[in-house]
Amino acid sequence: MKRHSPAPAESHESDSRGLLRWIGPLAALLVFGAVGYILHGEIARLHFDRVFAHLQSIPRKHVLAALGLTATSYWVLSGYDVLALRYLRKRLAYGRILFTCFIASAFGHTLGFSAFTGGAIRFRLYASAGVTAVEVAAIAAFVSLGIAIGLATLAGISLFLSPGQSATILHLGHDLTFLAGALLLCAVLAYALWSALSRGVLEIRGWALRAPGPTIGLPHVALGVLDMSLAASVLWWLLPSGSHIAFVPFSGAYAIAIIAGILSHVPGGIGVFETVMLLILRGIAPEALLGSLLAYRAIYYFVPLFFGALLFGYKELSATRAHLARARERAAMYVAPVAPQIAGALTFLAGTVLLVSGATPGINSRLALLHRFIPLSVLEVSNLMASVIGLGLLVLARALFRRVKAAYSISFALLVCGVIASLLKGLRYEEASVLTLVLAVLALGRRAFYRPTAILDERFTPAWVASIAGVIILSIWIGFLAYRRVPYSDQLWWTFALHANAPRMLRTSLAVIVLATAYFMLSLLRPARPEPAVASTEDLSRARAIISRSDNSLANAALTGDKRLLFNDSADTFLMYQVAGHSWVALGDPVGSRPGAEELVWRFRELSDRHGGQTVFYQTSAERLSLYVDLGLAPLKVGEEARVRLADFSLEGADRAGLRHAHRHAQRDGLTFDIQPAATAEELMPDLKRISDAWLTSKATGEKRFSVGYFSPQYLRNFPLAVVRQGGAAVAFANLWTTGTRAELAVDLMRFDPGAPAGTMDFLFAELMSWGRDHGYLWFNLGMAPLSGLDRHPLAPAWHRVGNFVFRHGEHFYNFEGLRRYKAKFIPHWEPKYLIARGGIALPRVLMDISVLIAGGVKELFAA
């Protein structure tokens, strides 16, 4: 079999989708640049000594009030999760809810990257408590809606009740301000009325939204208003004493600035929020306002992040002694799922701190003290190395999120060097403390980093490139802003002196730009892995050796030759998949070793992402769900697989009376059973083809693909054949999927002549199970009963509810319920099977792509 290259049209479409992925990150980077330009113009005339002077002059009681309001605000945030879980009719301990909400909010508010959002952290922490992916998505949506309600209410009240002052602040007309406030309040009122009075279900792009009712909906509105009011109060208390701005109009300006930060997609809204506030609040001295904004950013964002990291570290430390007490086991359960996300987020933050620190001047008194003990050359090299280390940490953060072992070791070493460099370049013990905290968290979570992948194998997504570029641009901008009164000359590059901070900033900025550019060019220019094509003869031979060591009979589906095979570097594990439309669909779990499986699911995700496709795993088992959760994908149950324990199988007993009767009737009709080895299959092919053609004609259907085999002499030669005869002539057959470990036995093609006696297939199954039991097989796999056991929760996607309806009433479409009843008479164990994908609005398209792979229609998807 020849290896085929991807079709030109398919390659062109993948390239187009890949380019589209850059639009969002580049737009965010452009917005960030535009905001930086505006902000630069706004504060170019400012004196930073006045900014820091105001920062230091904020009354202690105001700082304490802001800290108290921040703590109250983060506590109130847990109310969103409580209401959402009540809406979902889920019961969780409040301690777990508070822990999850605080960690998710602290990291989500501060960092804002899609990989580290509160939704992602909630998903990993709540999933271990039995909350499904659909329910976690509902919780995240509930939280987002509450924040939106709070922002709309604050802005609406401000514009409606104080139109005069709000119009002056926003530079809008009085009537337009009043109208905008009224519209915002009407929108909030409409939600409150719908949530309290509606009894129906609202359908939005495949999702069913049940009205929460007055006991949830009205507290949801109140909670949103209270949450955003507390957040606005933090900044209001930090404003200079002579501001003379009432809280109501101020809260409207605050809400507008927060909304602008969210819409910009800039991580944490950093820069955007500050720019909007400076533009709106013209009546406050810019230096004083900027000092208040810096204090607000530190108190409301970085203080919770610091305590969130400490809390995470405490729980992780407790988890390392889990064997000492049951409480430690609970701590491990809380923390283990998010160790890579927390460590990656903190590492990215540490890199940002080092880059910004390298662009800002040191404290003269500390430099003078340091210069007494170390030469100037050590200080210069330390300053340069600290920024280079910061760049390295930014790059490694993504690999940490993806659990790469080498990234963990290098990040650990860089953080240690960063602590030393921070002290040697100017006794910056504040940033050394931050790095030490990150180092401690990283050390405690070391068990979560197990992937042996090389760091250069980790492709950067557009969002990550934009994020790293944004941090570098931010640090350089801060440097030029800090030294804007230093006249530029070529001599600055070669000036080395104790207080020559501007030259040091120029050199470190140039080094960071050159190294970052070189790294990304190296990443782009290095040879790409060969694109897998339809399996060649050599690939099938390699796969056959791995299949012989597998416990899963579905692994034999790789031998159909209609799928692409992806092997790990050790060639002891493979993953079979095919592409349809936008979906890259893997069949079953990876086959082979567990470390190899962990590596392949990540590589498959990266491969599909690179082509702009949807990553999908079809017909996966429950025991491997944790692998897919780490990818950020959501499991969706598509049916249940029936497996019979062969050691317990017998035709005796009342439970199998019907099967025993059918078996005896078939014997009276003269049916016999035998197993033909694969080596003797060729001589049976004419008879088997006659039976297969007659069966297809009688069923008015065609051959299926992908998840099942199809009639092909080349394919059938790989397997032993079970044959049922009558009077010496073959009347039914099935090819056997076996496992070398004898863990499982299954059938693939099952065909019988339309003229065969009734009960022929019952006879075939009964004989096969007896044969498998006698030959030492542990399980007989009867295959999946589609749509069986789907979630009937009111918040389940429309797919679940339609699936349940079709399962019960779709006998004219396909006999789903009858198929399950047929399998049930063999008294099997039922095991769930899942479709793994991103879910949401793309799910219907994914299902259609799978159906196209199998046969070209939804009916064939489930008939398979």
Side-chain angles (χ1 to χ4, degrees), residues 152-198:
T153 305
L154 284 189
I157 291 175
S158 174
L159 300 177
F160 187 78
L161 296 183
S162 301
Q165 192 171 3
S166 296
T168 302
I169 291 174
L170 298 176
H171 313 291
L172 298 174
H174 181 280
D175 294 339
L176 181 60
T177 302
F178 183 83
L179 178 61
L183 290 175
L184 287 171
L185 291 178
C186 286
V188 175
L189 180 62
Y191 169 77
L193 291 175
W194 173 77
S195 63
L197 304 177
S198 177

Side-chain angles (χ1 to χ4, degrees), residues 362-372 379 423 426-431 498:
I363 299 175
N364 290 337
S365 59
R366 295 185 188 180
L367 290 173
L369 176 64
L370 191 66
H371 191 50
R372 297 179 184 176
L379 187 148
L423 297 174
L427 293 179
R428 300 201 176 191
Y429 55 82
E430 299 91 348
E431 69 186 61
L498 181 62

